[in-house]
Amino acid sequence: MPQLERLAARHAYLVYRFEWQNRAYFARYVPDRGDDYFDEFADRQVALLLEQDRGTCHFHVLVDDDGWVIGRFNLVDVADGSAELGYRVAERAAGRGVAQEGVRRVCELARDAHGLRRLVASAALANPASLAVLRRTGFVPDGEVDLGGEPGLRHVLDLTRWSPV
């Protein structure tokens, strides 16, 4: 069973590999991060860990039984009991409930370990699988958003009333 782990320096190569191998797949649903993302990956990883140490973000990786990262589940812009949830799952793990289980687990962590009361998440209208994951885990649609020039839908989850599905 895949394990959800807090991002640590030891995950750097695994996250880089995950992002590189799935770059084209992710670009079908969200804007590509560009070559600079990979060229500057080491510095970005250090910056993420510093943000996490400050408590403004909580980054998590989903690691399979062989030790490879198959998903990322992040809580960013943590403030006033709220955060934004972002996630992505490897193409080879898509369609198997991995995203839904990862979102469920990070929502539990957000509430129980980080004391958050509210999460916001957005998904592109062109990504029905991601929209379904949000709804199946209790998120409620809350308006349209622009996601890098693509239409999307913002969702909200009240963690004070939520129970794992």
Side-chain angles (χ1 to χ4, degrees), residues 10 23 42 53 61 67 79 100 113 115-116 132 137 156:
R10 65 184 166 79
R23 184 178 183 181
D53 288 346
V61 291
Q100 185 173 326
L116 298 176
T137 52
V156 175

Side-chain angles (χ1 to χ4, degrees), residues 50-94:
L50 289 172
E51 282 184 83
Q52 184 166 262
D53 288 346
R54 286 192 298 270
T56 57
C57 297
H58 303 288
F59 304 106
H60 305 85
V61 291
L62 191 64
V63 180
D64 70 11
D65 294 338
D66 295 322
W68 297 108
V69 170
I70 59 170
R72 296 181 71 182
F73 298 85
N74 301 321
L75 300 169
V76 299
D77 298 333
V78 175
D80 301 321
S82 183
E84 185 170 336
L85 168 68
Y87 64 93
R88 51 180 52 202
V89 171
E91 183 174 20
R92 70 180 177 89

Side-chain angles (χ1 to χ4, degrees), residues 130-145:
S130 192
L131 292 166
V133 164
L134 292 175
R135 291 194 180 128
R136 285 187 196 124
T137 52
F139 282 81
V140 177
D142 188 50
E144 297 176 2
V145 293

